[in-house]
Amino acid sequence: PDGLIYVLTDHDNGRLLRLMPGRPRGAQLAKVATKLEPAKIGVMPETLPPDIVAGEKSFQQRCASCHSLEKNPTHAGLGPNLRTVYNSRVGTQPEYSYSDAMNRFPQTWVEFSLNIFLADPNGYVPGTRMSTGPLTDPQERVNIIFYLKHLREQADAESEAR
């Protein structure tokens, strides 16, 4: 009745897409997604055994200068607090003002997406404010990702215990 086409995706979040038939006009063209070239990431996380202790050490060396892991952050650092970033939607951590690129990016941070992002932040999310270069060591990426996953599991368990 409204002239639009509705598509329910098979993504975990059950996103409903609303499509308008025909060619996009003027301002609509600015909102059309651009093709992202896949990052050169090499090995996927599932193929490497994670080491959470090494992940914590790598996080402290590579990430902690910009990102905090506080339980109740009172302010953001240069980057968002990452204590509960795993399995959350991109651009939704509280107390942080994200770039437009991150706010518009329709992704959830899980092994796959974090691996690609850490391998090439600006290649995966053009316009991100994350200023660090690519993390080229796949094992180090896996370790950091599973450390973040471990932190999220701890935070969820603490919430359930209350």
Side-chain angles (χ1 to χ4, degrees), residues 66-67 75-81 91-99 102-103 128-130:
C66 296
H67 298 282
H75 67 283
L78 292 176
N81 181 295
T92 60
Q93 293 303 99
E95 307 294 327
Y96 186 74
S97 178
Y98 286 89
S99 66
M102 280 292 195
N103 282 327
T128 181
R129 285 192 211 127
M130 187 153 142

Side-chain angles (χ1 to χ4, degrees), residues 68-125:
S68 73
L69 299 172
E70 298 172 27
K71 288 185 182 182
N72 299 307
T74 55
H75 67 283
L78 292 176
N81 181 295
L82 298 182
R83 180 172 166 76
T84 59
V85 73
Y86 186 87
N87 207 28
S88 66
R89 192 178 164 282
V90 171
T92 60
Q93 293 303 99
E95 307 294 327
Y96 186 74
S97 178
Y98 286 89
S99 66
D100 289 341
M102 280 292 195
N103 282 327
R104 289 191 310 261
F105 203 71
Q107 189 74 50
T108 299
W109 290 127
V110 293
E111 287 101 337
F112 181 80
S113 54
L114 283 166
N115 188 47
I116 296 171
F117 182 71
L118 293 174
D120 186 6
N122 284 302
Y124 191 52
V125 184

